[in-house]
Amino acid sequence: MSTVIEQPVEARLVAAAPRMPSIPATLHYDRRDPFAIRMTFPAPATLEGVDVCWTFSRELLAAGLTAPEGHGDVRVRPYGYDRTVLEFHAPEGTAVVHVRSGELRRFLEATAALVPVGLEHLQLDLDQQLAELMRDAC
């Protein structure tokens, strides 16, 4: 069984122009990091011209489908019936994208099938992680 789920999604960049351009993005979940989701935007879709990856909690994404969530660099909120807004805050500025809520729900269902919500801690090997920290400290 695979330990990773990747799902491409279509994000609509909210900009000052009336038409919101569509940009590709990829949602990524790895059972070895069971609390986290990564959302990656390819280089052509970013101001810097390099791939940009944001990491945030699976819990934040799930909660943001039904009510505004987040107070830090990543914020998520519903927008209408079938859209969800994701805001990414960085020192360079804020990117706001709309994603179809159905795509996000399907992704979250796939992650829950891989690692059920509430059982993430069973995926962690704390002894191994502590040993790696100690090895790196010497």
Side-chain angles (χ1 to χ4, degrees):
M1 174 190 265
S2 176
T3 65
V4 174
I5 296 170
E6 285 191 347
Q7 177 180 315
V9 295
E10 181 181 297
R12 309 275 293 161
L13 181 63
V14 177
R19 181 156 173 7
M20 295 187 302
S22 178
I23 56 174
T26 303
L27 292 168
H28 180 94
Y29 181 79
D30 187 333
R31 75 187 301 163
R32 293 171 295 182
D33 190 5
F35 294 101
I37 287 175
R38 290 195 312 270
M39 188 169 194
T40 305
F41 298 93
T46 69
L47 293 175
E48 296 82 16
V50 296
D51 287 0
V52 173
C53 182
W54 288 86
T55 302
F56 50 97
S57 77
R58 175 168 71 163
E59 180 181 26
L60 172 67
L61 183 60
L65 286 171
T66 58
E69 290 291 332
H71 301 285
D73 294 343
V74 180
R75 301 171 191 174
V76 183
R77 69 179 184 276
Y79 182 79
Y81 175 72
D82 189 43
R83 295 276 178 188
T84 299
V85 175
L86 291 98
E87 293 181 17
F88 301 99
H89 297 262
E92 300 81 21
T94 300
V96 179
V97 297
H98 288 191
V99 178
R100 287 187 182 95
S101 301
E103 290 184 289
L104 298 176
R105 283 188 194 95
R106 279 190 298 282
F107 176 74
L108 288 169
E109 288 168 5
T111 69
L114 185 62
V115 178
V117 174
L119 299 179
E120 295 92 348
H121 66 283
L122 298 177
Q123 302 300 314
L124 302 175
D125 185 350
L126 296 179
D127 290 334
Q128 177 188 358
Q129 292 173 357
L130 182 58
E132 288 178 19
L133 283 174
M134 297 302 288
R135 183 189 71 231
D136 292 342
C138 295

